[in-house]
Amino acid sequence: MSVPCVAVARERGETVRERLADADALDGDHEIAVEGDTIYIPVTAVERVPSDLADRIESRDAAERDRPTTPAEILGFEPSLERLGDIVIVDEDDPDRAAAIAEAVMASDLPCETVLNRASPIEGELRVRRWNVLAGDGTETVHREYGHEFALDVAEVYFSPRLATERHRVVTQVDASETVVDMFAGVGPYAIPMATRGADVVACDLNETAIEYLRANAERNGVADRVTAIAGDVRRATTEHADTADRLVMNLPHSADEFLDTAVTLAGDDCVIHYYDIQHEDDPFGPGTEAIRAAAGDEYAVDVETEQIVRSYAPHEYNVCLDARLTRR
């Protein structure tokens, strides 16, 4: 049967497969094939294939896979599931339905040690939530993303696997000579890949547990010598790094505007800010652009290089990113 496949060099196969899986574009019904130095990865929902891979799509015959037993096959419906390391996350208000899904997950061929149900929204300054453990034991896991490993405890730190593609978009812009400040670093999903690319990274977070994980993750990924991890409020904890940053990551979309004065203080003569925001669909980028320009004042010229819709956040609202370059006048 002829199906669309992404054709890439064999040595890039695993990286591209992970990207396609993160974009929910991987075709699990057909086998991946290798011919010579090229690997052919079947895809579905071609529109979700990352744009830089779109020109590598070609049709070819692919063998059908023997599909494993899935939770959907056991339940008779498709449950909403999210994978994070060896944890499967469900989001169900009905405890009986949640328990049935957890039982099906554990009985399926899905690699899983623990099933959790969200028991609260994200709460407090540290952006964590409460969980109900439906199966297995504990809330700690190791998440793998684009060749990196991140140990974390979902009950103690904020982490969203849904942002993997967006993080990769930003990380691939980093050069080895850069100094980066990640102002809300969490367990390091931006900081550590940036350090892997050779950048020197200052990573700050208010959550002391997240910083402990970040330090451990820097060791785990072999970049501890290029990551400076700081626990505390970035407005007070990073003063010694003023005027040094070639790049700033501001992934705190509900309140990043409150930290723009600090961002401007940290920026060097030429600095790119990755500014995350949540805004109404009628004007998703305008408020953030105005806030950045206001904070920059007369000190910097501001050029918004990229306006990126990251994902839908709520009805009529988007989580967006502005890549803005500040150039000292």
Side-chain angles (χ1 to χ4, degrees), residues 248-303:
L248 292 160
V249 180
M250 301 186 70
N251 185 20
L252 193 68
H254 285 287
S255 54
D257 59 322
E258 299 174 14
F259 296 82
L260 276 168
D261 288 344
T262 300
V264 172
T265 299
L266 290 167
D269 292 339
D270 184 70
C271 178
V272 174
I273 297 178
H274 303 285
Y275 175 86
Y276 289 87
D277 199 4
I278 292 175
Q279 293 293 341
H280 194 273
E281 64 184 7
D282 290 345
D283 187 13
F285 303 109
T289 299
E290 292 176 10
I292 294 169
R293 293 190 188 281
D298 296 330
E299 185 177 359
Y300 287 92
V302 177
D303 178 23

Coordinates of all heavy atoms in Angstrom, one line a residue, residues 248-303:
L248 N 17.5 35.3 25.6 CA 16.7 35.1 26.8 C 15.5 34.3 26.5 O 14.9 34.5 25.5 CB 16.3 36.5 27.3 CG 17.4 37.4 27.9 CD1 16.8 38.9 27.9 CD2 17.7 37.0 29.3
V249 N 15.2 33.3 27.4 CA 14.0 32.6 27.3 C 13.0 33.0 28.4 O 13.4 33.0 29.6 CB 14.3 31.0 27.4 CG1 13.0 30.3 27.2 CG2 15.3 30.6 26.3
M250 N 11.8 33.4 28.0 CA 10.8 33.9 29.0 C 9.6 33.1 28.8 O 8.5 33.5 28.3 CB 10.5 35.4 28.7 CG 11.8 36.3 28.8 SD 11.3 38.1 28.7 CE 10.5 38.3 30.3
N251 N 9.7 31.8 29.3 CA 8.5 30.9 29.1 C 7.7 30.9 30.4 O 7.7 30.0 31.2 CB 9.0 29.5 28.8 CG 7.8 28.6 28.6 OD1 6.7 29.0 28.3 ND2 8.0 27.3 28.7
L252 N 7.0 32.0 30.6 CA 6.1 32.2 31.7 C 4.9 33.0 31.2 O 4.7 34.2 31.5 CB 6.7 33.0 32.9 CG 5.9 32.9 34.2 CD1 5.9 31.5 34.9 CD2 6.6 33.9 35.2
P253 N 4.1 32.3 30.3 CA 3.1 33.1 29.5 C 2.1 33.9 30.1 O 1.6 34.9 29.6 CB 2.5 32.0 28.6 CG 2.8 30.7 29.3 CD 4.0 30.9 30.1
H254 N 1.7 33.6 31.4 CA 0.6 34.4 32.0 C 1.2 35.7 32.6 O 0.4 36.6 32.8 CB 0.0 33.6 33.1 CG -1.0 32.5 32.6 ND1 -2.2 32.8 32.1 CD2 -0.9 31.2 32.5 CE1 -2.8 31.7 31.7 NE2 -2.0 30.7 31.9
S255 N 2.5 35.8 32.9 CA 3.0 36.9 33.6 C 4.4 37.4 33.1 O 5.1 38.1 33.8 CB 3.0 36.7 35.1 OG 3.7 35.5 35.4
A256 N 4.8 36.9 31.9 CA 6.2 37.3 31.5 C 6.3 38.8 31.4 O 7.4 39.3 31.6 CB 6.5 36.6 30.1
D257 N 5.2 39.5 31.1 CA 5.3 41.0 30.9 C 5.8 41.6 32.2 O 6.5 42.7 32.2 CB 4.0 41.5 30.5 CG 2.9 41.2 31.5 OD1 2.8 40.1 32.1 OD2 2.0 42.1 31.7
E258 N 5.6 41.0 33.4 CA 6.0 41.6 34.6 C 7.6 41.5 34.8 O 8.1 42.1 35.7 CB 5.4 40.9 35.8 CG 3.8 41.0 35.8 CD 3.2 40.1 36.9 OE1 3.9 39.7 37.8 OE2 2.0 39.9 36.8
F259 N 8.2 40.7 34.0 CA 9.7 40.5 34.1 C 10.5 41.1 32.9 O 11.7 40.9 32.8 CB 10.0 39.0 34.2 CG 9.4 38.3 35.4 CD1 8.0 37.9 35.4 CD2 10.1 38.1 36.5 CE1 7.5 37.3 36.5 CE2 9.6 37.5 37.6 CZ 8.3 37.1 37.6
L260 N 9.8 41.9 32.1 CA 10.5 42.5 30.9 C 11.6 43.5 31.3 O 12.6 43.6 30.6 CB 9.5 43.1 30.0 CG 8.8 42.1 29.0 CD1 7.6 42.7 28.3 CD2 9.9 41.6 28.0
D261 N 11.3 44.2 32.4 CA 12.4 45.2 32.8 C 13.7 44.4 33.2 O 14.8 44.8 32.9 CB 11.9 46.0 34.0 CG 10.9 47.0 33.6 OD1 10.7 47.3 32.4 OD2 10.2 47.5 34.5
T262 N 13.5 43.2 33.9 CA 14.7 42.4 34.2 C 15.3 41.9 32.9 O 16.5 41.8 32.8 CB 14.2 41.2 35.1 OG1 13.7 41.8 36.3 CG2 15.4 40.3 35.4
A263 N 14.5 41.5 31.9 CA 15.0 41.0 30.7 C 15.9 42.0 30.0 O 17.0 41.7 29.5 CB 13.9 40.5 29.8
V264 N 15.4 43.2 30.0 CA 16.2 44.3 29.4 C 17.5 44.6 30.1 O 18.6 44.8 29.5 CB 15.3 45.6 29.3 CG1 16.2 46.8 28.8 CG2 14.2 45.4 28.3
T265 N 17.5 44.4 31.4 CA 18.7 44.6 32.2 C 19.7 43.5 31.9 O 20.9 43.7 31.9 CB 18.3 44.6 33.7 OG1 17.5 45.6 34.0 CG2 19.6 44.6 34.6
L266 N 19.2 42.3 31.7 CA 20.1 41.1 31.4 C 20.6 41.2 30.0 O 21.7 40.6 29.7 CB 19.3 39.8 31.6 CG 19.0 39.5 33.1 CD1 17.9 38.3 33.1 CD2 20.2 39.1 33.8
A267 N 19.9 41.8 29.1 CA 20.3 41.8 27.6 C 21.6 42.4 27.4 O 21.9 43.5 28.0 CB 19.2 42.4 26.8
G268 N 22.4 41.8 26.5 CA 23.6 42.4 26.0 C 23.3 43.4 24.9 O 22.2 43.8 24.7
D269 N 24.4 43.7 24.1 CA 24.2 44.7 23.0 C 23.3 44.2 21.9 O 22.6 45.0 21.3 CB 25.6 45.1 22.4 CG 26.4 45.8 23.4 OD1 25.9 46.4 24.4 OD2 27.7 45.9 23.3
D270 N 23.3 42.9 21.7 CA 22.5 42.3 20.7 C 21.9 41.0 21.3 O 22.6 40.1 21.5 CB 23.3 42.0 19.4 CG 22.4 41.5 18.3 OD1 21.6 42.2 17.7 OD2 22.5 40.3 18.0
C271 N 20.6 41.0 21.5 CA 20.0 39.9 22.3 C 18.6 39.5 21.7 O 17.8 40.4 21.4 CB 19.8 40.3 23.7 SG 19.0 39.1 24.8
V272 N 18.4 38.2 21.5 CA 17.1 37.7 21.1 C 16.3 37.3 22.3 O 16.8 36.5 23.2 CB 17.2 36.5 20.1 CG1 15.9 35.9 19.8 CG2 17.9 37.0 18.8
I273 N 15.1 37.7 22.4 CA 14.2 37.3 23.5 C 13.1 36.4 22.9 O 12.4 36.8 22.0 CB 13.5 38.5 24.2 CG1 14.5 39.4 24.9 CG2 12.5 38.1 25.2 CD1 13.9 40.7 25.5
H274 N 12.9 35.2 23.5 CA 11.8 34.3 23.2 C 10.8 34.6 24.3 O 10.9 34.1 25.4 CB 12.3 32.9 23.2 CG 13.4 32.7 22.2 ND1 13.2 32.6 20.8 CD2 14.7 32.5 22.4 CE1 14.4 32.4 20.2 NE2 15.3 32.3 21.2
Y275 N 9.8 35.4 23.9 CA 8.8 35.9 24.9 C 7.5 35.1 24.7 O 6.8 35.2 23.6 CB 8.6 37.4 24.6 CG 7.5 38.0 25.5 CD1 7.8 38.5 26.8 CD2 6.2 38.2 25.0 CE1 6.8 39.1 27.5 CE2 5.2 38.8 25.8 CZ 5.5 39.3 27.0 OH 4.6 39.9 27.8
Y276 N 7.0 34.4 25.7 CA 5.8 33.6 25.6 C 4.6 34.3 26.2 O 4.8 35.0 27.3 CB 6.0 32.2 26.3 CG 6.9 31.3 25.4 CD1 8.3 31.4 25.6 CD2 6.4 30.5 24.5 CE1 9.1 30.6 24.8 CE2 7.2 29.7 23.7 CZ 8.6 29.8 23.9 OH 9.4 29.0 23.1
D277 N 3.5 34.2 25.6 CA 2.3 35.0 26.0 C 1.1 34.2 25.7 O 1.1 33.3 24.9 CB 2.3 36.3 25.2 CG 1.5 37.4 25.8 OD1 1.0 37.2 26.9 OD2 1.4 38.5 25.1
I278 N 0.0 34.6 26.4 CA -1.3 34.0 26.1 C -2.3 35.2 25.8 O -2.4 36.1 26.6 CB -1.9 33.2 27.2 CG1 -1.0 31.9 27.4 CG2 -3.4 32.8 27.0 CD1 -1.4 31.1 28.5
Q279 N -2.8 35.2 24.6 CA -3.6 36.3 24.1 C -4.8 35.9 23.3 O -4.9 34.7 22.8 CB -2.8 37.3 23.3 CG -1.7 38.0 24.0 CD -2.2 39.0 25.1 OE1 -3.4 39.4 25.0 NE2 -1.4 39.3 26.1
H280 N -5.8 36.7 23.2 CA -7.0 36.5 22.4 C -6.7 36.3 20.9 O -5.7 37.0 20.4 CB -8.0 37.6 22.6 CG -9.4 37.2 22.1 ND1 -9.8 37.4 20.8 CD2 -10.5 36.7 22.8 CE1 -11.1 37.0 20.7 NE2 -11.5 36.6 21.9
E281 N -7.4 35.5 20.2 CA -7.2 35.3 18.8 C -7.3 36.5 17.9 O -6.7 36.6 16.8 CB -8.1 34.2 18.2 CG -9.6 34.6 18.3 CD -10.6 33.5 17.8 OE1 -10.1 32.4 17.6 OE2 -11.8 33.8 17.7
D282 N -8.0 37.5 18.4 CA -8.2 38.8 17.6 C -6.9 39.5 17.5 O -6.7 40.3 16.5 CB -9.2 39.7 18.2 CG -10.6 39.1 18.1 OD1 -10.8 38.2 17.3 OD2 -11.5 39.6 18.8
D283 N -6.0 39.4 18.4 CA -4.7 40.1 18.4 C -3.7 39.3 19.2 O -3.3 39.8 20.3 CB -4.8 41.5 18.9 CG -3.6 42.4 18.7 OD1 -2.7 41.9 18.0 OD2 -3.5 43.5 19.3
P284 N -3.2 38.2 18.8 CA -2.4 37.3 19.6 C -1.0 37.9 19.9 O -0.3 37.5 20.9 CB -2.3 36.0 18.8 CG -2.6 36.4 17.4 CD -3.5 37.6 17.5
F285 N -0.5 38.8 19.0 CA 0.9 39.2 19.1 C 1.1 40.7 19.5 O 2.1 41.1 20.0 CB 1.6 39.0 17.7 CG 1.6 37.5 17.3 CD1 0.8 37.2 16.2 CD2 2.3 36.6 17.9 CE1 0.8 35.8 15.8 CE2 2.2 35.2 17.5 CZ 1.5 34.9 16.4
G286 N 0.0 41.5 19.2 CA 0.2 42.9 19.5 C 0.5 43.3 20.9 O 1.4 44.0 21.2
P287 N -0.2 42.7 21.9 CA 0.1 43.1 23.3 C 1.5 42.8 23.7 O 2.2 43.6 24.4 CB -0.9 42.3 24.1 CG -2.1 42.1 23.2 CD -1.4 41.9 21.9
G288 N 2.0 41.6 23.3 CA 3.4 41.3 23.7 C 4.4 42.2 23.0 O 5.4 42.6 23.6
T289 N 4.2 42.5 21.7 CA 5.1 43.4 21.0 C 5.1 44.8 21.7 O 6.2 45.3 21.9 CB 4.6 43.5 19.5 OG1 4.7 42.2 18.9 CG2 5.5 44.5 18.8
E290 N 4.0 45.3 22.0 CA 3.9 46.6 22.7 C 4.6 46.5 24.0 O 5.3 47.5 24.4 CB 2.5 47.0 22.9 CG 1.7 47.3 21.6 CD 0.3 47.6 21.8 OE1 -0.1 47.8 23.0 OE2 -0.5 47.7 20.9
A291 N 4.5 45.4 24.8 CA 5.1 45.3 26.1 C 6.6 45.3 26.0 O 7.4 45.9 26.7 CB 4.6 44.1 26.8
I292 N 7.1 44.6 25.0 CA 8.6 44.5 24.8 C 9.1 45.9 24.4 O 10.2 46.3 24.9 CB 8.9 43.4 23.7 CG1 8.6 42.0 24.2 CG2 10.4 43.5 23.3 CD1 8.6 41.0 23.1
R293 N 8.5 46.5 23.5 CA 8.9 47.9 23.0 C 8.9 48.8 24.2 O 9.8 49.7 24.3 CB 8.0 48.4 21.9 CG 8.2 47.6 20.6 CD 7.5 48.3 19.4 NE 7.5 47.4 18.2 CZ 8.5 47.2 17.4 NH1 9.7 47.8 17.7 NH2 8.4 46.4 16.4
A294 N 7.9 48.8 25.0 CA 7.8 49.7 26.2 C 9.0 49.5 27.1 O 9.6 50.4 27.6 CB 6.5 49.5 26.9
A295 N 9.3 48.2 27.4 CA 10.4 47.9 28.3 C 11.7 48.3 27.7 O 12.6 48.7 28.5 CB 10.4 46.4 28.6
A296 N 11.9 48.1 26.4 CA 13.2 48.4 25.8 C 13.4 49.9 25.7 O 14.6 50.4 25.8 CB 13.2 47.9 24.3
G297 N 12.3 50.7 25.7 CA 12.4 52.2 25.7 C 13.3 52.7 24.6 O 13.3 52.2 23.5
D298 N 14.2 53.7 24.9 CA 15.1 54.3 24.0 C 16.4 53.5 23.9 O 17.3 53.8 23.1 CB 15.3 55.8 24.3 CG 14.1 56.6 24.2 OD1 13.2 56.2 23.3 OD2 13.9 57.6 24.9
E299 N 16.6 52.6 24.8 CA 17.9 51.9 25.0 C 18.2 50.9 23.8 O 19.3 50.8 23.4 CB 18.0 51.2 26.3 CG 19.4 50.6 26.5 CD 19.5 49.9 27.9 OE1 18.5 50.0 28.7 OE2 20.6 49.3 28.2
Y300 N 17.1 50.3 23.4 CA 17.2 49.2 22.3 C 16.2 49.5 21.2 O 15.1 49.9 21.4 CB 16.9 47.9 22.9 CG 17.9 47.3 23.9 CD1 17.8 47.5 25.2 CD2 19.0 46.5 23.4 CE1 18.8 47.0 26.1 CE2 19.9 46.0 24.2 CZ 19.8 46.2 25.6 OH 20.8 45.7 26.4
A301 N 16.7 49.2 20.0 CA 15.8 49.0 18.9 C 15.2 47.6 18.9 O 15.9 46.6 19.3 CB 16.5 49.2 17.6
V302 N 13.9 47.4 18.6 CA 13.3 46.1 18.7 C 12.8 45.7 17.4 O 12.1 46.4 16.7 CB 12.0 46.2 19.7 CG1 11.3 44.8 19.7 CG2 12.5 46.6 21.1
D303 N 13.2 44.5 17.0 CA 12.8 43.9 15.7 C 12.1 42.5 16.0 O 12.8 41.6 16.5 CB 13.9 43.7 14.8 CG 13.5 43.0 13.5 OD1 12.4 43.1 13.1 OD2 14.4 42.4 12.8

